[in-house]
Amino acid sequence: MNNYRDLFHDPLFWKSIYNTIYFTIFFVPLSIFFGVALAMMLNMKVKGMAIFRTIFFLPTLVPQVALAVLWMWLLHPNFGLVNGLLANIGIDGPSWLGGESWSKPSLILMSLWGIGQAVVIYLAGLGDIPDEYYEAAQIDGANWFQKTRKVTLPLLTPVIFYNLVMGMIGAFQQFTLPYTLTKGQGTPANSMTFYVMYLYENGFRYFKMGYASAMAWILFIIVMALTGIIFITSKRWVHYQGK
Amino acid sequence: MNPIAIKRINRALAYLCLIVASAFFITPFIWLLSTSLKPLTQIFTFPPEWIPHPILWSNYSRAVEYIPFWTYLKNTAIITIASTLGVIISCPLVAYSFAKLEYRGRGILFFVTLAVMMIPGQVTMIPLFLLFTKLGWVGTSLPLIVPQFFGVPIYIFLLRQFFMGLPDALREAARLDGASEFRIYLQIMFPLAKSAVLAVALFQFMGSWTDFMGPLLYLTNEPSYTVSLGLQQFQSQKGSEWGLLMAVSTLMTLPIIVLFFFLQKTFISGITFSGIKG
């Protein structure tokens, strides 16, 4: 029990919870919004779609080592491509990963880049909506916006539900990217110390296995409670065709 | 404006959106490709240059000789194919039972499946490793293959979502015709869920192909290494061979890109799997 008591007096523990929740609150809704929007774009019937779909999936195919190095280079405050482009239109870019205020938004941006996998699942869901529903809506004179709101989104809710749960679990377990980017340090000013990263540091670097296990249990309880809430509310907004 | 003109404008706008977004998503691969063709001195120049000068094709031939690439590729292929097969056999079966069959303890079993998903991999790593050590499997590819035959929680959850969408009427009709529960699954439900199963197979294929942590833990002797383990051999004490590393990363990524390019049509567009469409 000492481990739990120590945890509650550990400022870095609270900081890691704050960072993780901050990331989750912004990343999960954004990834659902952009994921659905991209999937709808990629579901249009235009030529060359196979190429576009493959391109959107690319970032999830490139090995992680290469990706982390690439982002450090793209976001370099002085020489990076992003600030170079911003300078062209007269904006003085921030120091991205170097400063406390931009490090988490940068990480959210990077993570959004890998939503290809979720997009594929949305696409499979979109492909499953019967054409007849759209034809019926068309006959009733529905415009694009009404069709999206009344046909596409409700029928996509089982898939959105899946990605919501997975996105949340994934966000709470955020590890590889901040770990590689900060070499496990959580710099600057611990703004990149995420929960599982801190857990890993405690367990495998300082060999405080009990402390790490206590953290694992707390994480498990938080995520389970949140998943439970999503599951309970899902009965109201998730529609299954089979019922 | 007449409808045809509106349609044209819409189409042009659609292409514009797609191209702008694509530019954002394709950057990593272009960069990977570009770095794989650069000499070491040019990789860290600022401002960065997109086009290598001169183009160094020899990175590829050197990279393949630097590590026993073909042996690693063979090992990777065996693990990837076997574990994907395991996923296809086990996951839809379990998912179907969670979605459609009613039996005692179903709720609890599904809850346990979800709970497993929530535990971070870093936590289960040690107990799992001890288990596989006891079984004498460390050093072989078995720990990377066999668990997949017992189901993977995230895929089970995904497939359950898809099976939930299949009409119950199909099952009842087949039952009236005298089909057994297993036959209903095998001959009706499984084929109808083909696109979802393909999606899951692709994810497993990719995950297994690029997995680093798993092989690092379990493949302890060099002849059994996979390509992603081979990647780290380019980072030696003498300094990192970035160009070679990127060349092998490109070689590793290409097969999946090709696979995805050809498969995406099959598993995304126009497949009837809800039994309603078509």
Side-chain angles (χ1 to χ4, degrees), chain A residues 44 47 50 52-53 57-58 73 79 81 113 117 120 123 127-128 158 161 166 173 175 196 219 240-242, chain B residues 14-15 22 24-25 28 31 46 48 50 118 120 122 154 161 164-165 203 206 257 264 267-268 273 276-277:
Chain A
M44 292 183 305
K47 275 197 193 107
F52 285 117
R53 286 176 173 175
F57 203 54
L58 273 179
W73 168 77
F79 310 110
L81 200 69
W113 210 34
Q117 192 142 337
V120 168
L123 271 170
D128 238 43
F161 171 66
M166 290 313 297
Q173 294 181 11
F175 179 75
V196 173
L219 175 73
Y240 294 102
Q241 283 187 65
Chain B
Y15 271 116
S22 299
F24 180 67
F25 280 88
W31 179 79
F46 287 112
W50 285 97
M118 292 170 209
Q122 290 80 7
I154 53 166
Q161 289 303 95
M164 293 282 276
F203 293 153
M206 266 175 44
I257 293 175
Q264 55 91 17
F267 81 83
I268 296 169
F273 85 70
I276 305 168
K277 189 175 169 176

Side-chain angles (χ1 to χ4, degrees), chain A residues 28-40:
Chain A
V28 174
L30 281 173
S31 70
I32 290 177
F33 175 80
F34 284 113
V36 173
L38 277 180
M40 281 168 70

Side-chain angles (χ1 to χ4, degrees), chain B residues 18 25 42 55 57 69 71 76 82 99 108 128 154 192-193 208 224:
Chain B
L18 281 172
F25 280 88
Q42 220 201 337
I55 294 181
W57 290 107
F69 179 77
T71 312
T76 313
I108 293 169
L128 263 180
I154 53 166
L192 285 174
S208 195
S224 68

